[in-house]
Amino acid sequence: MSHAREIDTMTEAGGGGARPARRTVLGLGAAGAASLMLTAGARPQGATTGPETTGSDHRMWDAIVLGAGASGLGAARTLADAGRRVLVLEARDRIGGRMWTDRTSMSIPVERGAELVHGSRASTWELIQAEGIATRRQQSIRGRLAPTTPWVDGSTYASLKFPLGAPTGPLPEPDPGETALAWLTRAGISPENRPILLAAIEVDSEQFDVLPAEWVVDTVAWAIAEQDVPAETPFAEPYDDHRVIGGYDRVLRPLAAGLPIRLGTRVHTVEHRAGRVDVRTSRGDYKAKTLVVALPGGVLKHGDVTFDPPLPPERRDALQEIEYLPVFKGILEFAGPVLPPGHPVPREWDVMTTFSKRPPTLWNASIGTPGYPGEIAVAWATGGVAQELLDLPESERLAAALDNVRTAVGDGSLQQVNASTYDWSEDEFARGAYPGPFSRRTGLNGPIGDTVFWAGMVTSTIHSSRNSGVTAARQALAALAAR
């Protein structure tokens, strides 16, 4: 996903070969951030959680890594594999950060945070394949504008059709500062006449009354250009998001194996100077030649860690410009499959989105699980819609999620057997799910001298988080080698 623009709304148009970008189909892509876990309390090899430490803890380490999420573990693994002595400090009682596989709330493991592998070329695949983990590519994708409108196949050109007819004449140029909603109104495209892939942009990020017009212009132009392509024509490339079966947490095991990871260790102060850092924590002090900071941007923005001397003013200003996107994720377990025979959506469904509902998107979080007779539906929303849900009591949030399932299925009496949700903005070790479309992403990762290096912060997928950790570790290795 481009950090310059969170959702690419189109690829090359024309010739019948255009396809939707992987993060836009029916508003699902952010789920991966959501689109970004080892079981709570899991103990990776070498980890400790209590006040006990060993004498070696207080040695001079080559590197200390702050945070045991995907970025921190990616950094630590790279440093350790290069033969460097590395220590990982983690405030939680588990590794994974916003990757959190919950193995207790439902009959099968469910993901409270990151859930999808975005793209067949993601670096996560080497870990998945090494661990022999099963996955399922999301393929049965359906959406509709409202409960009274037909379901549309999101993998075909039907999702580019204007329900009331394509606009004629040239599209207006966006005005400076114009919102997507204002531009769509000027272009004569009402909510009832939005192609499904256009509507998907809104539910995977902020809504159109907030997003800039530039976010929708290309998709509208693409849809108009492709009106002559038969609706049943499949896109040239399949949707490329994959769900991990049996727990996404397992991809972290090869990263964490053998590393000294101190869980339950809150860092409050980093004292740094050329070639030396002293890290003050809730469980004692640690020292190292280099430091990799792999904490969420929201934590750094909040000032939960004090740097001495303070970070440069430009870095402090940049941290304050990190903005996290409100995200709602409600997880509902049902005793059996929710779709009745004869429903227009295939019974083995992956995604169903009713864009007028709040939350709008549902995806199947249990399909492909061997021997599981039930079904788990995840309800998803982002931006202002998500914030409206998060402002409600938890029971009302889950009732809204259930209402979407009942509406999609056509059964007002359907009832879940288990339900759960989690507000990442209230998590003191995250302070948000992942960065939104207006978050600053540049000027954040430059090293402080040859001693303090940065990873994660504003990444929103597991593979980009892990990759940022690898990059920071390589910078630290170069600095160590130069001394």
Side-chain angles (χ1 to χ4, degrees):
M1 182 180 70
S2 169
H3 288 323
R5 184 171 180 180
E6 188 178 40
I7 303 172
D8 292 330
T9 55
M10 62 176 288
T11 58
E12 251 182 284
R19 63 178 179 87
R22 59 180 173 80
R23 301 299 299 278
T24 64
V25 177
L26 303 196
L28 179 62
S35 284
L36 28 174
M37 305 177 179
L38 220 91
T39 308
R43 303 293 182 262
Q45 182 180 350
T48 61
T49 59
E52 70 277 8
T53 58
T54 65
S56 64
D57 272 6
H58 301 289
R59 74 207 297 180
M60 173 63 77
W61 296 89
D62 289 323
I64 290 175
V65 176
L66 305 186
S71 57
L73 293 177
R77 179 82 273 147
T78 301
L79 287 158
D81 287 350
R84 293 296 184 172
R85 296 174 299 181
V86 57
L87 175 68
V88 181
L89 304 178
E90 169 56 51
R92 300 181 189 273
D93 64 353
R94 61 173 176 82
I95 67 173
R98 285 164 291 178
M99 180 195 231
W100 178 12
T101 300
D102 178 355
R103 297 180 181 273
T104 61
S105 298
M106 310 281 169
S107 301
I108 61 173
V110 294
E111 308 298 342
R112 288 183 174 270
E115 186 157 353
L116 302 176
V117 183
H118 297 292
S120 299
R121 294 188 294 274
S123 61
T124 326
W125 285 107
E126 65 180 89
L127 304 174
I128 291 171
Q129 292 160 0
E131 295 295 294
I133 299 171
T135 61
R136 174 183 169 87
R137 180 178 63 80
Q138 294 183 322
Q139 48 198 293
S140 177
I141 302 166
R142 300 294 187 276
R144 58 183 180 176
L145 294 179
T148 56
T149 60
W151 290 100
V152 174
D153 187 342
S155 65
T156 71
Y157 277 78
S159 58
L160 284 176
K161 304 303 180 184
F162 292 86
L164 305 179
T168 59
L171 294 172
E173 289 294 323
D175 292 331
E178 187 174 23
T179 67
L181 180 59
W183 183 85
L184 288 168
T185 301
R186 285 204 298 127
I189 302 172
S190 66
E192 298 77 20
N193 196 31
R194 293 174 184 170
I196 291 295
L197 283 188
L198 173 63
I201 299 172
E202 189 172 35
V203 302
D204 201 29
S205 186
E206 278 287 1
Q207 279 70 64
F208 288 158
D209 61 342
V210 175
L211 284 176
E214 289 79 6
W215 278 59
V216 302
V217 172
D218 289 347
T219 297
V220 171
W222 178 31
I224 292 173
E226 301 290 4
Q227 286 305 293
D228 291 339
V229 179
E232 65 276 10
T233 304
F235 289 112
E237 296 182 26
Y239 189 52
D240 204 20
D241 274 2
H242 306 252
R243 190 175 54 79
V244 174
I245 297 173
Y248 207 168
D249 57 5
R250 290 176 294 163
V251 305
L252 299 180
R253 295 176 183 175
L255 296 179
L259 294 176
I261 303 174
R262 303 297 174 249
L263 301 177
T265 305
R266 298 186 181 210
V267 173
H268 56 77
T269 305
V270 171
E271 298 175 2
H272 59 100
R273 59 185 185 272
R276 169 77 179 255
V277 292
D278 291 274
V279 181
R280 315 297 184 191
T281 82
S282 60
R283 300 200 184 279
D285 300 342
Y286 304 87
K287 56 183 180 292
K289 300 173 184 176
T290 61
L291 179 74
V292 175
V293 181
L295 301 175
V299 170
L300 295 168
K301 176 180 179 177
H302 194 259
D304 294 335
V305 177
T306 298
F307 289 84
D308 183 15
L311 298 175
E314 60 272 16
R315 181 64 57 88
R316 299 199 301 270
D317 292 345
L319 291 174
Q320 292 306 310
E321 293 175 7
I322 295 174
E323 296 184 20
Y324 273 50
L325 184 70
V327 169
F328 169 76
K329 185 177 186 181
I331 307 172
L332 306 177
E333 181 176 20
F334 298 90
V338 297
L339 290 179
H343 193 279
V345 173
R347 204 170 194 204
E348 291 193 343
W349 63 282
D350 289 292
V351 183
M352 291 188 291
T353 301
T354 302
F355 291 98
S356 64
K357 300 296 289 183
R358 298 186 171 217
T361 297
L362 303 171
W363 72 81
N364 191 333
S366 57
I367 188 169
T369 303
Y372 176 60
E375 195 156 86
I376 293 178
V378 171
W380 176 261
T382 59
V385 170
Q387 190 59 58
E388 291 174 6
L389 290 164
L390 295 174
D391 289 340
L392 298 173
E394 182 175 301
S395 61
E396 294 183 29
R397 297 179 221 163
L398 292 172
L402 177 60
D403 178 63
N404 189 353
V405 179
R406 287 173 168 175
T407 302
V409 170
D411 181 356
S413 64
L414 188 68
Q415 188 63 47
Q416 79 269 15
V417 295
N418 288 303
S420 183
T421 186
Y422 192 73
D423 185 353
W424 285 98
S425 69
E426 295 295 323
D427 185 319
E428 64 178 319
F429 303 128
R431 302 198 182 276
Y434 56 85
F438 308 118
S439 180
R440 176 160 178 165
R441 291 176 169 85
T442 60
L444 293 166
N445 291 86
I448 305 297
D450 64 348
T451 306
V452 182
F453 304 88
W454 307 81
M457 290 193 293
V458 289
T459 52
S460 54
T461 64
I462 296 302
H463 71 263
S464 62
S465 296
R466 187 256 186 126
N467 293 348
S468 76
V470 172
T471 297
R474 288 172 177 168
Q475 292 172 336
L477 288 170
L480 289 166
R483 292 178 186 171

